[in-house]
Amino acid sequence: MQQGIPGPGDLRDDTNTGRLLIGSLVRAQLSLSLMCLMLALTVTVSFPVVAALVPAVGRIRVAGLPLPLIVLGFAFYPVFLAIGWFYHRQARQLEARFTDLVDPPGD
Amino acid sequence: MTDTGAGAIAFVTLLTIVVGARGIRVARTPDDFMVAARQVPPALNAAAISGEYLSAASFLGIAGLIVSQGLGSLWYSVGYTAGYLVLLLLVAAPLRRFGAYTIPDFADGRLGSVGLRRVATVLVLVIGWFYLLPQMKGAGITLQWVLGTPYWIGVVTLGIVVSGNIAMGGMKGITFVQCFQYWLKLCAIGIPALVLLIATGHASDRNLQPGRAPVFTRATVVQVPQAIGFTLAHPTRATVTGLLDQRRYRHQTVPLCACRHVAGAGTQIGFAAGAPAPTSLAMAPSPGVAWDSPLSAAGTDGAHPLVSTYGIIIATFFGAVGLPHILVRFYTNPDGEAARRTTLIVVLLLSTFYLFPTVLAVLTRLHAPQLYLAGDSDDVILALPSLLLPGLPGALLAALVAAGAFAAFLSTSSGLLVSVAGALSHDFMHGGVTSFRWCAIVAGAVATAASLLIGRFSLALLVGWAFAIAASSFSPLLVLGIWWRQLTRAGAAAGIVVGGGACLAAIVATMVGAATRGWSEVLLGQPAIWTVPLAFGVMIVTSLLTQRTLPGHVGQVMLRMHLPEALSRQDYRSSPLERARRSPGR
């Protein structure tokens, strides 16, 4: 094995390099997850506060229906799906990049 | 209605048993029996997960709670869906790669402790039984409504069907059943919602106006099925036949004050268009929060609605991760990537389903305000179709709703019972198929008996509590166990016991009526807002104090959970030549 070039063997054998590699993958995955989670929480959790602080927001009508009904009943779901789809794509790419880094295809 | 409804319920039950029985022939080894052999494609698996997840609360509870308490109750459906987004983001792929069957397996494998495993098993039983109660209650009130049988008959029927089916079929059968149940439930709530939406057309939106109590949009005669107390938002006149406020009338016009009234069974009250809808005690909104407010008030005095709303949000967003019966199903994905795809499809399927309870609840508010006289908010959706669409079409839709509701109780309680029986037989008995069968029967009997006592709590509230306990115990265990190397046995055990225990204590205190006002009522009634941070905090601090006991194999475990499949498979993508070149170096 060539010294200094990290490979799958480092992961299997739990060498220092392997630990660094997997640590970086876990950190990258976690920060992606937390970013998406923060996005979803900000969108949803801000609504009750806004509605409590500015009661006028709760009285807005859209096509004859109260805004809270539109937002809570329908609008959040596409947001969740978009975040989920984005995360799924990013996580897959992250893993593909990691795989290429550790075990380059053309090597 | 009675005949079509009964027929529909019998049909669903029979179909469930027949589809489940197909699994008996396939289930040979105990491994097959417990987790349907890991060969389920994502779309099918996602439908099965959703079918298992959509319970009595989703089907009857949320809509009823929206009608009675207002739009703030929509946080339950938002949260039940968001729970799967959180699951996708934080646990889906690593947990599948870890490859354990149950949460106790995860606790044991991740931290290498049999004691911790026992703690986790006890909690599986607590959450599982807690979650079974509302399913049984749902079956009780549905049969009560369709057939007029006493409450306990529905409860006992569901208990027998579900435990018998599981004792015979195991989970292979259940995967088919659950998938079929999702589509059944979607049709059973979607078709009535769309048909009624079209049938009622554009009418007055008066009952959605802010700050108004619901009124009758046209002259309506209300027949009171059983003696009931009600209030009126403002004084009105009504034509009464029968017993009202201890006086007997015969088609007389009576002035009614805006106060409490008591109507006898069979009394007919005729209201003019524009008259306020009588509201029963069970349907009375919490004071302090308007019906169209996006906040949910808990309990009797409606204090601190913002805190109560965030309690629901935290419990539901983080509860799904820790539900014992749902995670079992993730192990049937072929790999971590498939687990992610499955979860994303689940979010889509749940989002679609949850549009319809909202539609039905709004239609009730707009066009059938007489349902504010119902004795239990969970009945509302069952009664709506026949009121809006008279004759056979309405009866057929009502039968469809009843069948879908029953499907919901069947599927969720089956999944729960598999988890509870599995935990009991694996960790407290000698294991094996025979022991699993007996445990299914015993666990079903315990849940059935307990359900006879909880009739007065709303389905959505009961399920919300099961979520709160899961969010305060298993969620921190899974999230920290997957992402944080430094989690220790002592930390995990302390977090589960303190968080789950505090949450359970708060809920039991609420159930026995220990707190009925102000802060204590909100914090005990929606405990997740403080018990979830408490569980995370205790787990982290205790782990940091006990770093010397860090399990030795943590590096390997982290590798197993996070390494992409392309690298974890034995033969890497590298050429055979290169592998030969590398091997002498080791």
Side-chain angles (χ1 to χ4, degrees), chain B residues 260-297:
Chain B
R260 265 206 84 177
H261 302 275
V262 179
T267 301
Q268 291 185 339
I269 312 173
F271 290 93
T279 304
S280 74
L281 217 55
M283 299 291 288
S286 287
V289 171
W291 188 84
D292 58 348
S293 158
L295 302 181
S296 165

Short mmCIF file of all heavy atoms in Angstrom, two decimals, chain B residues 260-297:
data_model
loop_
_atom_site.label_atom_id
_atom_site.label_comp_id
_atom_site.label_asym_id
_atom_site.label_seq_id
_atom_site.Cartn_x
_atom_site.Cartn_y
_atom_site.Cartn_z
N ARG B 260 -76.55 27.64 29.43
CA ARG B 260 -76.56 26.18 29.32
C ARG B 260 -77.98 25.64 29.23
O ARG B 260 -78.88 26.08 29.94
CB ARG B 260 -75.87 25.57 30.54
CG ARG B 260 -74.41 25.28 30.27
CD ARG B 260 -73.92 24.18 31.16
NE ARG B 260 -74.22 22.87 30.58
CZ ARG B 260 -73.83 21.74 31.13
NH1 ARG B 260 -73.18 21.73 32.27
NH2 ARG B 260 -74.13 20.59 30.56
N HIS B 261 -78.18 24.67 28.34
CA HIS B 261 -79.47 23.99 28.22
C HIS B 261 -79.22 22.49 28.29
O HIS B 261 -78.13 22.02 28.00
CB HIS B 261 -80.13 24.32 26.89
CG HIS B 261 -80.35 25.79 26.69
ND1 HIS B 261 -81.44 26.45 27.17
CD2 HIS B 261 -79.58 26.72 26.06
CE1 HIS B 261 -81.34 27.73 26.85
NE2 HIS B 261 -80.22 27.93 26.17
N VAL B 262 -80.28 21.75 28.65
CA VAL B 262 -80.18 20.29 28.62
C VAL B 262 -81.33 19.76 27.79
O VAL B 262 -82.50 20.08 28.05
CB VAL B 262 -80.24 19.69 30.05
CG1 VAL B 262 -80.15 18.17 29.97
CG2 VAL B 262 -79.10 20.25 30.89
N ALA B 263 -81.01 18.96 26.75
CA ALA B 263 -82.04 18.37 25.91
C ALA B 263 -82.13 16.89 26.19
O ALA B 263 -81.11 16.23 26.39
CB ALA B 263 -81.72 18.62 24.44
N GLY B 264 -83.35 16.34 26.19
CA GLY B 264 -83.54 14.92 26.41
C GLY B 264 -83.32 14.14 25.12
O GLY B 264 -83.29 14.71 24.03
N ALA B 265 -83.19 12.81 25.25
CA ALA B 265 -82.99 11.96 24.08
C ALA B 265 -84.21 12.05 23.16
O ALA B 265 -85.34 12.05 23.62
CB ALA B 265 -82.75 10.53 24.51
N GLY B 266 -83.97 12.17 21.87
CA GLY B 266 -85.05 12.19 20.89
C GLY B 266 -85.68 13.56 20.67
O GLY B 266 -86.54 13.72 19.81
N THR B 267 -85.27 14.57 21.44
CA THR B 267 -85.82 15.91 21.27
C THR B 267 -85.44 16.48 19.91
O THR B 267 -84.31 16.30 19.45
CB THR B 267 -85.26 16.84 22.37
OG1 THR B 267 -85.61 16.30 23.64
CG2 THR B 267 -85.79 18.25 22.24
N GLN B 268 -86.42 17.13 19.25
CA GLN B 268 -86.13 17.79 17.99
C GLN B 268 -86.16 19.29 18.19
O GLN B 268 -87.11 19.83 18.75
CB GLN B 268 -87.18 17.40 16.94
CG GLN B 268 -87.06 15.94 16.52
CD GLN B 268 -88.01 15.60 15.39
OE1 GLN B 268 -88.99 16.29 15.17
NE2 GLN B 268 -87.69 14.52 14.68
N ILE B 269 -85.11 19.97 17.75
CA ILE B 269 -85.05 21.42 17.89
C ILE B 269 -84.88 22.01 16.50
O ILE B 269 -83.91 21.69 15.79
CB ILE B 269 -83.88 21.86 18.79
CG1 ILE B 269 -83.86 21.04 20.08
CG2 ILE B 269 -83.97 23.34 19.10
CD1 ILE B 269 -82.65 21.29 20.95
N GLY B 270 -85.81 22.85 16.08
CA GLY B 270 -85.72 23.47 14.76
C GLY B 270 -85.14 24.86 14.86
O GLY B 270 -85.64 25.71 15.60
N PHE B 271 -84.04 25.10 14.15
CA PHE B 271 -83.40 26.42 14.16
C PHE B 271 -83.62 27.09 12.82
O PHE B 271 -83.62 26.43 11.77
CB PHE B 271 -81.89 26.27 14.40
CG PHE B 271 -81.53 25.84 15.79
CD1 PHE B 271 -81.35 24.49 16.08
CD2 PHE B 271 -81.38 26.77 16.82
CE1 PHE B 271 -81.02 24.07 17.35
CE2 PHE B 271 -81.05 26.35 18.10
CZ PHE B 271 -80.87 25.00 18.37
N ALA B 272 -83.80 28.41 12.84
CA ALA B 272 -83.92 29.17 11.60
C ALA B 272 -82.52 29.43 11.04
O ALA B 272 -81.53 29.30 11.76
CB ALA B 272 -84.64 30.49 11.87
N ALA B 273 -82.47 29.80 9.76
CA ALA B 273 -81.19 30.18 9.18
C ALA B 273 -80.63 31.37 9.94
O ALA B 273 -81.37 32.30 10.28
CB ALA B 273 -81.35 30.53 7.70
N GLY B 274 -79.35 31.34 10.25
CA GLY B 274 -78.72 32.43 10.99
C GLY B 274 -78.74 32.24 12.50
O GLY B 274 -78.09 32.99 13.22
N ALA B 275 -79.46 31.23 12.97
CA ALA B 275 -79.47 30.96 14.41
C ALA B 275 -78.13 30.36 14.81
O ALA B 275 -77.49 29.68 14.02
CB ALA B 275 -80.60 30.00 14.74
N PRO B 276 -77.67 30.62 16.06
CA PRO B 276 -76.39 30.05 16.50
C PRO B 276 -76.50 28.53 16.64
O PRO B 276 -77.53 28.03 17.03
CB PRO B 276 -76.15 30.71 17.86
CG PRO B 276 -77.52 31.05 18.35
CD PRO B 276 -78.32 31.40 17.13
N ALA B 277 -75.41 27.83 16.29
CA ALA B 277 -75.41 26.38 16.42
C ALA B 277 -75.21 25.99 17.88
O ALA B 277 -74.33 26.54 18.55
CB ALA B 277 -74.29 25.78 15.58
N PRO B 278 -76.06 25.08 18.40
CA PRO B 278 -75.85 24.63 19.78
C PRO B 278 -74.53 23.85 19.86
O PRO B 278 -74.21 23.08 18.97
CB PRO B 278 -77.04 23.71 20.04
CG PRO B 278 -77.49 23.27 18.69
CD PRO B 278 -77.16 24.38 17.74
N THR B 279 -73.76 24.11 20.93
CA THR B 279 -72.45 23.47 21.07
C THR B 279 -72.45 22.63 22.33
O THR B 279 -72.72 23.13 23.42
CB THR B 279 -71.35 24.53 21.16
OG1 THR B 279 -71.45 25.36 20.00
CG2 THR B 279 -69.99 23.91 21.20
N SER B 280 -72.14 21.34 22.18
CA SER B 280 -72.11 20.47 23.35
C SER B 280 -70.83 20.72 24.14
O SER B 280 -69.89 21.35 23.65
CB SER B 280 -72.18 19.00 22.92
OG SER B 280 -70.93 18.62 22.38
N LEU B 281 -70.82 20.19 25.36
CA LEU B 281 -69.65 20.37 26.22
C LEU B 281 -68.40 19.79 25.57
O LEU B 281 -67.32 20.39 25.59
CB LEU B 281 -69.92 19.66 27.55
CG LEU B 281 -69.38 20.36 28.79
CD1 LEU B 281 -69.92 21.79 28.85
CD2 LEU B 281 -69.76 19.58 30.04
N ALA B 282 -68.56 18.60 24.92
CA ALA B 282 -67.40 17.94 24.31
C ALA B 282 -66.84 18.75 23.15
O ALA B 282 -65.66 18.63 22.81
CB ALA B 282 -67.80 16.55 23.82
N MET B 283 -67.67 19.56 22.49
CA MET B 283 -67.23 20.30 21.32
C MET B 283 -66.89 21.75 21.64
O MET B 283 -66.54 22.52 20.75
CB MET B 283 -68.32 20.27 20.24
CG MET B 283 -68.68 18.90 19.75
SD MET B 283 -67.37 18.13 18.79
CE MET B 283 -67.43 19.09 17.28
N ALA B 284 -67.03 22.14 22.91
CA ALA B 284 -66.80 23.54 23.26
C ALA B 284 -65.33 23.90 23.05
O ALA B 284 -64.45 23.16 23.46
CB ALA B 284 -67.20 23.78 24.71
N PRO B 285 -65.07 25.03 22.37
CA PRO B 285 -63.68 25.42 22.15
C PRO B 285 -63.05 25.92 23.45
O PRO B 285 -63.75 26.33 24.37
CB PRO B 285 -63.80 26.56 21.14
CG PRO B 285 -65.15 27.12 21.37
CD PRO B 285 -66.02 25.98 21.81
N SER B 286 -61.72 25.84 23.52
CA SER B 286 -61.03 26.46 24.66
C SER B 286 -61.25 27.95 24.60
O SER B 286 -61.19 28.54 23.52
CB SER B 286 -59.54 26.19 24.57
OG SER B 286 -59.27 24.86 24.88
N PRO B 287 -61.50 28.56 25.73
CA PRO B 287 -61.66 30.01 25.70
C PRO B 287 -60.31 30.66 25.41
O PRO B 287 -59.26 30.06 25.63
CB PRO B 287 -62.13 30.34 27.12
CG PRO B 287 -61.64 29.22 27.95
CD PRO B 287 -61.60 28.01 27.07
N GLY B 288 -60.34 31.87 24.90
CA GLY B 288 -59.09 32.61 24.75
C GLY B 288 -58.45 32.49 23.39
O GLY B 288 -57.62 33.30 23.02
N VAL B 289 -58.80 31.46 22.62
CA VAL B 289 -58.22 31.33 21.29
C VAL B 289 -59.35 31.23 20.29
O VAL B 289 -60.22 30.37 20.40
CB VAL B 289 -57.32 30.09 21.21
CG1 VAL B 289 -56.89 29.83 19.78
CG2 VAL B 289 -56.10 30.26 22.09
N ALA B 290 -59.36 32.13 19.29
CA ALA B 290 -60.42 32.13 18.29
C ALA B 290 -60.30 30.89 17.42
O ALA B 290 -59.22 30.31 17.27
CB ALA B 290 -60.32 33.38 17.42
N TRP B 291 -61.43 30.48 16.79
CA TRP B 291 -61.43 29.27 15.98
C TRP B 291 -60.44 29.38 14.82
O TRP B 291 -59.79 28.41 14.45
CB TRP B 291 -62.84 29.02 15.43
CG TRP B 291 -62.94 27.69 14.74
CD1 TRP B 291 -63.17 26.48 15.33
CD2 TRP B 291 -62.78 27.43 13.34
NE1 TRP B 291 -63.16 25.49 14.38
CE2 TRP B 291 -62.93 26.04 13.15
CE3 TRP B 291 -62.54 28.24 12.22
CZ2 TRP B 291 -62.84 25.44 11.89
CZ3 TRP B 291 -62.45 27.63 10.97
CH2 TRP B 291 -62.59 26.24 10.82
N ASP B 292 -60.32 30.57 14.25
CA ASP B 292 -59.46 30.71 13.08
C ASP B 292 -58.03 31.12 13.45
O ASP B 292 -57.24 31.48 12.58
CB ASP B 292 -60.05 31.71 12.08
CG ASP B 292 -60.26 33.08 12.70
OD1 ASP B 292 -60.15 33.17 13.95
OD2 ASP B 292 -60.52 34.03 11.97
N SER B 293 -57.67 31.03 14.73
CA SER B 293 -56.30 31.34 15.13
C SER B 293 -55.39 30.16 14.80
O SER B 293 -55.80 29.01 14.90
CB SER B 293 -56.27 31.62 16.63
OG SER B 293 -54.96 31.41 17.12
N PRO B 294 -54.15 30.43 14.38
CA PRO B 294 -53.22 29.33 14.11
C PRO B 294 -52.62 28.75 15.38
O PRO B 294 -51.71 27.93 15.31
CB PRO B 294 -52.15 29.99 13.25
CG PRO B 294 -52.15 31.41 13.67
CD PRO B 294 -53.57 31.74 14.05
N LEU B 295 -53.08 29.17 16.55
CA LEU B 295 -52.55 28.65 17.80
C LEU B 295 -53.51 27.63 18.39
O LEU B 295 -54.70 27.68 18.15
CB LEU B 295 -52.33 29.78 18.80
CG LEU B 295 -51.41 30.90 18.35
CD1 LEU B 295 -51.26 31.93 19.45
CD2 LEU B 295 -50.06 30.34 17.95
N SER B 296 -52.94 26.70 19.16
CA SER B 296 -53.76 25.68 19.77
C SER B 296 -53.76 25.87 21.27
O SER B 296 -52.72 25.93 21.90
CB SER B 296 -53.21 24.30 19.42
OG SER B 296 -53.77 23.34 20.27
N ALA B 297 -54.94 26.00 21.85
CA ALA B 297 -55.02 26.16 23.30
C ALA B 297 -55.24 24.81 23.92
O ALA B 297 -56.02 24.01 23.43
CB ALA B 297 -56.16 27.10 23.66
#
